[in-house]
Amino acid sequence: MLDSVIIGRLSVYGSVLSFRRDILTDSIFNGVCTARMEVKKDIPSTVRIAGEFIRFWYPSQPKTCRRCGDLGHLIKECESVRCFNCEQ
């Protein structure tokens, strides 16, 4: 996935100040990306970007439902039904 796609999606939640892909050793990426942001709106712990579920974590992040992204309940209590093909 292109960095610009992730940055574009994150910009909904605030200003992205910097973004990098973390490297395990010489030019081998470990699959973790780090973004420095000025967060203006809470970021759900899981966000669907380009059909993929991406996990986000930051200090003081409120717990959110991994299915619907809402605050106030977790996935085991979620009553929302969502199609994984069309996301409706």
Side-chain angles (χ1 to χ4, degrees), residues 9-10 13 41-49 52-58 60-71 73-75:
R9 186 69 165 94
L10 283 175
Y13 301 103
K41 179 180 170 186
D42 290 327
I43 304 171
S45 56
T46 306
V47 177
R48 192 171 180 133
I49 303 175
E52 299 290 330
F53 286 103
I54 309 296
R55 301 241 349 164
F56 290 94
W57 179 87
Y58 61 92
S60 74
Q61 180 183 29
K63 294 197 181 293
T64 57
C65 175
R66 284 190 279 158
R67 180 178 296 149
C68 68
D70 286 344
L71 296 169
H73 68 273
L74 299 177
I75 193 168

Side-chain angles (χ1 to χ4, degrees), residues 48 67-68 80-88:
R48 192 171 180 133
R67 180 178 296 149
C68 68
S80 176
V81 178
R82 180 174 292 194
C83 175
F84 288 100
N85 293 320
C86 67
E87 296 188 36
Q88 296 294 323

Side-chain angles (χ1 to χ4, degrees), residues 13-30:
Y13 301 103
S15 302
V16 179
L17 306 174
S18 67
F19 184 86
R20 74 168 192 264
R21 291 183 182 266
D22 296 350
I23 298 176
L24 187 60
T25 61
D26 285 346
S27 70
I28 298 175
F29 296 104
N30 65 2

